[in-house]
Amino acid sequence: MFLIRQIYDDTTSANRTAIAQAQAILRAQFPGLGEDDIAKLPDQLRDPLKHRFHARLLAAENGQGELRGFALLLHAPDLRFAYLEYISAAPGGTGGGIGGALYERVREEAAALQVCGLFFECLPDDPALSRDPAIRAQNAARLKFYERYGARPLANTAYETPVTPGGDNPPYLVLDPLGSQAPLGRDAARRIVRAILERKYGALCPREYIKHVVASIQDDPVQLRAPRYRRSSTRQPAPAPVRARRIALIVNDKHDIHHVRERGYVESPVRIKAIMQELDKTGYFERLPARHFPLSWIKAVHDGDFVQYLMRACARVPQGKSVYPYVFPIRNAARPPRELPLRAGYYCIDTFTPLNRNAWLAALGAVDCALTGAQCLVDGYRMAYALVRPPGHHAERRSFGGFCYFNSAAVAANYLSRYGRVAVLDVDYHHGNGTENIFYERADVLTVSLHGNPRQTYPYFSGFEDERGAGEGLGYNLNLPLKEGLDGAGYREHLARALKHIIRFAPRYLVLGLGLDTAKGDPTGSFTLAARDFHENGRMIGALALPVLVTQEGGYRTRSLGQNARHFFEGLWQGLHAARQPDHAR
């Protein structure tokens, strides 16, 4: 069993370990490769301007974090093509499906980049070019494998001409059209071939050699070699499946089991139904089941004593009953009451968030949904949506409140921080005091919150502009308290400021706490945002072009809740895909 994740840089220990293991595979599987070429791998990920390609390292890891194989995909956005530089299983790992899984993931990534094709080199199966029968048989097996996907060598070109006359096994240039029927024109092919030879082999290939190879491309459109290893048919190769073209949707199936049926309790199950009815109209979403994750991920951001208290207290509340905090031991917080119901105030920030037997299970389910969404981003989805109740952003390291028990967004952000820096953007009407509290002294997770002025708005005690972080986290917390009655245009002015702050931080992932209680008429807010405003907000956030996990927070006006959610995701979708279009295609 293995999972494939994308590595963007070497800023985390997990990424550095995977890169080092990939370099070890290169040494073992490519013995003719120079040490300089192996050593430059981290720099390829860090510095696309220097290497003139944006590098993506796809790592196939087992459950123990051991690299079982990898692929290095290079993207040239200026010419809209992708180049597969390396793909290899670890020694002893061939035949286990790793190579096939990696290549399919490479095709997904390339298709998501909306390139004209995926190019790579493959050694020849022609006796005139490959003299050793054993090596030639291996070459043929590789070409046969790729031909299954419609990838074949370019025909009628001099690409496979040896740089040194008489050289053996000069490579073919292979093109995988990724299932597209659009032909590749001669001029585009010439520009791509020149870029490959100059950017990859500029130190090896003389200028006259490059000029000769480029000039040899005469067919317009270019032609691929006729199939040799599969029967010709009218059936076209399937396009690359693209996870980036779907939003992973994970719904907490246990969201309603903790509901308290009391007048004025606005955090109700109908919220999920209202949103789902509208999301189904978009066709953007792929419903996925939630995976179960160990409790250790919750304890990584929440105090262990607090977690154990919630588990024990919820288990002891009689079925059908709820306990509300009403004793708050602020004078001697070091001595909590012995009785669990009395101790609720020791861990809670308000008097209206109940504990009952199912609150623990519902909160666990919400965290599992958020972590599943985070793993979807690691696995290659560009967007994931954890549609959950209860919400989470008011849950601090050692306290619950505001209908929140565990901070699902914070647990997911901490999970993603193993793979790169994370920004958490909270657009709920109420300040995400819990998220701020959890990451206040960390520099690897940026927290940004737009919310109603805490002088008039829950939670009242946090969310002020002078809360900027502490210790290593100083400067990594941004609060933007907003005036009451703000309209959509005014909101977007502050959102633009928040997004500029995120861009400067340069995260690899975005976790978005989506509160829809900024809508006009919401019983808990004072802003006046309409459906079109949610669409524009989504578009602006999507334009960051970051993998984004959306976790559901507030939003309580059920008449407009679903419509506003749908408009937000339509804008988010459009913003992301517009940002990923190459400049010349816009």
Side-chain angles (χ1 to χ4, degrees):
M1 177 64 183
F2 58 89
L3 296 174
I4 300 175
R5 68 179 179 95
Q6 182 170 327
I7 296 175
Y8 297 92
D9 54 37
D10 60 348
T11 59
T12 69
S13 59
N15 288 357
R16 288 191 292 272
T17 298
I19 291 169
Q21 293 178 13
Q23 291 172 312
I25 293 175
L26 286 175
R27 292 186 184 96
Q29 302 288 63
F30 298 85
L33 195 60
E35 187 59 33
D36 288 345
D37 288 323
I38 296 172
K40 74 179 182 182
L41 178 55
D43 195 52
Q44 285 181 280
L45 297 171
R46 278 191 239 110
D47 195 346
L49 291 178
K50 174 182 176 181
H51 297 278
R52 302 177 70 186
F53 284 108
H54 293 265
R56 287 167 160 78
L57 182 64
L58 301 173
E61 297 175 324
N62 63 16
Q64 290 73 49
E66 298 171 336
L67 197 68
R68 307 309 304 149
F70 80 95
L72 183 63
L73 180 67
L74 307 180
H75 176 217
D78 56 334
L79 296 177
R80 206 169 64 87
F81 78 94
Y83 183 87
L84 178 58
E85 183 160 37
Y86 303 115
I87 183 168
S88 178
T94 57
I98 293 173
L102 276 168
Y103 186 66
E104 290 180 5
R105 178 63 182 277
V106 164
R107 297 184 83 234
E108 289 187 19
E109 292 293 328
L113 294 169
Q114 301 181 18
V115 296
C116 65
L118 171 64
F119 293 82
F120 54 93
E121 292 180 343
C122 205
L123 298 183
D125 55 358
D126 187 337
L129 299 173
S130 180
R131 293 187 283 269
D132 188 319
I135 294 177
R136 191 165 64 249
Q138 295 175 0
N139 299 347
R142 294 189 186 97
L143 287 162
K144 180 179 180 181
F145 168 81
Y146 292 120
E147 196 172 287
R148 290 163 38 197
Y149 296 94
R152 288 174 279 140
L154 267 64
N156 308 322
T157 80
Y159 192 92
E160 56 269 23
T161 302
V163 176
T164 302
D168 194 30
N169 279 295
Y172 295 137
L173 183 62
V174 179
L175 168 61
D176 184 340
L178 304 171
S180 171
Q181 301 306 304
L184 178 63
R186 179 186 61 197
D187 292 343
R190 285 180 168 181
R191 288 192 294 269
I192 290 169
V193 169
R194 181 180 295 278
I196 292 171
L197 294 176
E198 290 180 345
R199 298 178 191 185
K200 278 187 52 60
Y201 304 112
L204 299 175
C205 295
R207 182 174 298 180
E208 288 302 315
Y209 175 88
I210 295 175
K211 182 178 179 181
H212 167 69
V213 173
V214 170
S216 73
I217 302 172
Q218 295 292 327
D219 294 334
D220 192 14
V222 296
Q223 301 297 308
L224 301 186
R225 190 179 77 175
R228 289 188 181 180
Y229 303 105
R230 57 183 293 270
R231 293 181 179 178
S232 300
S233 70
T234 57
R235 184 177 64 85
Q236 298 297 328
V242 183
R243 288 177 237 202
R245 293 177 183 166
R246 301 282 280 174
I247 303 174
L249 173 63
I250 310 98
V251 181
N252 185 7
D253 291 332
K254 298 178 181 178
H255 73 86
D256 58 347
I257 61 175
H258 72 299
H259 180 52
V260 179
R261 291 169 175 79
E262 295 177 357
R263 182 183 296 275
Y265 189 81
V266 297
E267 213 291 284
S268 61
V270 69
R271 300 174 60 235
I272 303 297
K273 181 179 179 181
I275 292 173
M276 283 296 299
Q277 286 177 337
E278 290 293 322
L279 295 188
D280 287 342
K281 299 177 182 179
T282 66
Y284 293 160
F285 293 88
E286 179 182 356
R287 182 80 176 262
L288 298 175
R291 294 173 47 194
H292 178 65
F293 288 78
L295 201 61
S296 58
W297 287 110
I298 294 177
K299 291 183 177 180
V301 302
H302 287 292
D303 180 79
D305 289 342
F306 164 65
V307 175
Q308 291 302 314
Y309 168 75
L310 274 184
M311 181 173 63
R312 293 170 56 206
C314 291
R316 294 189 185 185
V317 177
Q319 190 70 39
K321 302 292 184 180
S322 292
V323 171
Y324 289 87
Y326 64 96
V327 175
F328 296 85
I330 60 173
R331 293 188 178 183
N332 190 352
R335 295 185 178 181
R338 176 172 296 181
E339 295 294 325
L340 293 180
L342 295 177
R343 203 184 301 176
Y346 181 71
Y347 289 113
C348 193
I349 64 174
D350 58 44
T351 61
F352 58 81
T353 302
L355 293 180
N356 56 53
R357 179 161 292 191
N358 287 325
W360 167 264
L361 296 176
L364 285 182
V367 171
D368 281 343
C369 289
L371 285 171
T372 301
Q375 184 60 49
C376 284
L377 299 190
V378 175
D379 289 345
Y381 285 88
R382 298 294 297 181
M383 294 189 215
Y385 179 27
L387 178 52
V388 298
R389 291 183 59 249
H393 71 147
H394 293 308
E396 298 184 352
R397 182 164 184 81
R398 63 177 309 277
S399 63
F400 68 99
F403 308 128
C404 305
Y405 302 95
F406 292 137
N407 197 316
S408 302
V411 176
N414 182 66
Y415 182 90
L416 288 169
S417 70
R418 298 181 301 164
Y419 306 117
R421 297 204 290 183
V422 181
V424 182
L425 173 62
D426 193 319
V427 295
D428 191 274
Y429 178 77
H430 307 90
H431 176 240
N433 57 288
T435 312
E436 173 182 294
N437 170 264
I438 288 167
F439 295 115
Y440 205 63
E441 298 185 7
R442 287 176 57 170
D444 61 329
V445 178
L446 173 73
T447 48
V448 179
S449 178
L450 294 85
H451 48 267
N453 193 320
R455 295 188 183 277
Q456 295 94 28
T457 303
Y458 184 90
Y460 304 108
F461 58 81
S462 71
F464 298 95
E465 286 183 280
D466 59 358
E467 298 162 17
R468 301 182 55 248
E472 292 184 1
L474 182 62
Y476 293 93
N477 185 79
L478 175 66
N479 286 326
L480 298 175
L482 311 178
K483 66 179 182 180
E484 293 187 87
L486 194 68
D487 63 9
Y491 188 91
R492 286 190 290 279
E493 292 180 9
H494 298 282
L495 178 60
R497 178 185 169 191
L499 298 181
K500 288 180 181 178
H501 198 74
I502 291 172
I503 291 170
R504 286 194 294 270
F505 179 67
R508 290 303 182 187
Y509 298 99
L510 176 69
V511 175
L512 176 69
L514 176 61
L516 298 166
D517 44 5
T518 53
K520 181 178 181 180
D522 190 277
T524 68
S526 70
F527 297 166
T528 61
L529 275 64
R532 62 181 178 275
D533 298 312
F534 285 99
H535 183 281
E536 185 61 17
N537 292 349
R539 187 200 62 77
M540 292 172 65
I541 296 169
L544 292 174
L546 290 170
V548 55
L549 166 64
V550 181
T551 61
Q552 186 60 48
E553 299 293 349
Y556 307 102
R557 187 174 187 265
T558 56
R559 288 176 56 191
S560 61
L561 188 64
Q563 185 182 36
N564 291 337
R566 173 169 59 82
H567 278 78
F568 175 82
F569 277 102
E570 288 173 345
L572 187 70
W573 179 272
Q574 292 171 15
L576 174 65
H577 287 274
R580 290 171 65 83
Q581 287 279 355
D583 290 339
H584 65 82
R586 293 180 184 174

